[in-house]
Amino acid sequence: MGVIDHRVQLVTSGDGPRTVAVAAAAAAAGAGVVQVRAKHLLAGELLDLVLAVADAVERVAPTTRVLVNDRADVAHAARRRGAPVHGVHLGQADLPVAAARDLLGPDAVVGLTAGTLDHVREAQSRTGSGRPDHLGSGPFRRTPTKDVGRPPVGLAGYPLRAAATDLPVLAIGDVTLADVPALAATGIAGVALVREVMDAPDPGAVVAACLAAWG
């Protein structure tokens, strides 16, 4: 499918029709990746949401990748149904990257959370099927969406992370449109947005503005 545009990734919240609509709007506006995250759902419910999001995204932006947060099994079930689901985003305690590739296939996109500089360096050292495709690193600032128990990375932390790996690094954790120009100057590949897009009256406009701010 070619090179992934990592500049703006949407990480969804919620599980209703608006979640599906916002995902489609973000993709239509140019978000290169939509990650479906709904930790409160049971596997079957998450599968239904993933299928709906993947279908809606493909209709408006066939090149946008759809990933499932944490649940490689759900991503696998969706792919077995022929859905345009491209992979998974894993946490440090989730299924290992190599195991996810074994399940999803060598063409799958596998992102990995690397919240600390040591995590970034460890990911950089990996080879073969155990090497992730990109890294999510945060939190940029403290966020009510997800308490990870780590101090914020802050703007000053990202140049170190970008320099420590040739993998694309994405900032996540209460990133806003106003933060994008400064973050783009740190050497990272992109930003992962949650509330800034999900809560916006016009989600597509926010994504478009973020892309424009990236330069």
Side-chain angles (χ1 to χ4, degrees):
M1 288 185 67
V3 177
I4 299 174
D5 184 350
H6 285 293
R7 290 177 297 164
V8 176
Q9 176 177 148
L10 169 65
V11 180
T12 69
S13 61
D15 56 19
R18 174 169 166 76
T19 297
V20 178
V22 171
V33 177
V34 171
Q35 181 190 150
V36 184
R37 185 170 79 184
K39 294 179 181 294
H40 63 290
L41 295 184
L42 298 175
E45 297 168 332
L46 178 59
L47 177 59
D48 288 343
L49 177 62
V50 168
L51 293 172
V53 168
D55 178 66
V57 166
E58 186 186 41
R59 278 189 269 112
V60 297
T63 61
T64 295
R65 307 318 204 274
V66 175
L67 308 182
V68 181
N69 177 262
D70 293 353
R71 299 296 299 264
D73 56 335
V74 173
H76 176 62
R79 284 162 70 89
R80 285 291 297 268
R81 291 194 183 193
V85 172
H86 306 92
V88 67
H89 184 90
L90 302 169
Q92 289 286 324
D94 292 326
L95 201 65
V97 171
R101 289 200 195 283
D102 287 344
L103 182 62
L104 299 175
D107 66 321
V109 177
V110 181
L112 179 67
T113 294
T116 69
L117 188 55
D118 284 344
H119 285 158
V120 173
R121 289 170 173 154
E122 192 277 328
Q124 171 64 19
S125 72
R126 298 186 188 187
T127 59
S129 64
R131 187 173 172 84
D133 293 298
H134 61 269
L135 305 175
S137 193
F140 171 59
R141 60 170 63 91
R142 294 194 186 279
T143 168
T145 306
K146 184 179 179 184
D147 182 7
V148 295
R150 292 190 299 272
V153 175
L155 191 63
Y158 285 105
L160 298 173
R161 285 159 169 74
T165 182
D166 56 11
L167 294 167
V169 175
L170 281 74
I172 187 170
D174 203 28
V175 177
T176 70
L177 170 58
D179 299 316
V180 172
L183 283 168
T186 66
I188 62 172
V191 294
L193 303 174
V194 188
R195 291 185 301 152
E196 185 73 350
V197 174
M198 293 301 306
D199 294 347
D202 188 342
V206 174
V207 170
C210 284
L211 290 168
W214 196 261

